[in-house]
Amino acid sequence: MKYADSGFTLIEILVVITIVGIVAAVAVPYYQGYTVRAKLVEVENTMAVVKTAVSSYRIEKETSWPDCPTINEIRNSLGVALGIVLRISSLSVDPGTGTITATVQNIHTMVDGKSITLTPTLNPDGSFRWTWGWSPDFPMHLRPKH
């Protein structure tokens, strides 16, 4: 009786398992980085909505920025429908400078508790230029490229 060559040898299976392990070891950190960045986009989008409301407030009042030290006051004073904000633990608008500051939560230990800011600069034509900023300990590789 003759046996046909079929199936895989133990060495072939071990080589395939090793290759899959190496690919997984490289891919998982990249995947985690992308999921953190995607969640940070939610924070940035929320801040962009507040930025529009703050700009409108400043244009209406001409000389003052809104005084909104909490998320509830941003909702009530500026009329911004933020809904449930899961990725931001605190959100405020500085009445002296108009700077919007958000503290991040529920994303990843690398960024939880750290701040993202949007700071306005008044242009001569009356428009605003907004500049993104981060707390000094915010990881460089996770900072959005604006």
Side-chain angles (χ1 to χ4, degrees), residues 53-145:
V54 169
S55 297
S56 297
Y57 182 95
R58 174 63 190 233
I59 289 169
E60 278 182 28
K61 302 295 182 182
E62 294 182 5
T63 58
S64 65
W65 297 102
D67 184 10
C68 300
T70 67
I71 292 174
N72 285 335
E73 289 174 346
I74 290 172
R75 285 183 182 130
N76 297 333
S77 298
L78 298 178
V80 178
L82 294 176
I84 299 172
V85 183
L86 301 176
R87 309 258 184 241
I88 298 174
S89 62
S90 69
L91 185 63
S92 63
V93 179
D94 184 329
T97 62
T99 300
I100 302 165
T101 304
T103 304
V104 177
Q105 73 175 3
N106 299 330
I107 293 179
H108 192 277
T109 55
M110 290 188 295
V111 294
D112 287 350
K114 296 178 176 42
S115 314
I116 300 176
T117 60
L118 259 176
T119 306
T121 304
L122 185 60
N123 294 324
D125 65 356
S127 64
F128 300 101
R129 183 175 54 85
W130 292 86
T131 308
W132 290 93
W134 302 269
S135 56
D137 56 347
F138 202 96
M140 290 292 286
H141 67 284
L142 293 175
R143 293 180 182 185
K145 293 154 184 68

Side-chain angles (χ1 to χ4, degrees), residues 28-39:
V28 167
Y30 277 105
Y31 173 75
Q32 288 176 339
Y34 287 122
T35 57
V36 169
R37 284 190 197 111
K39 292 174 184 176

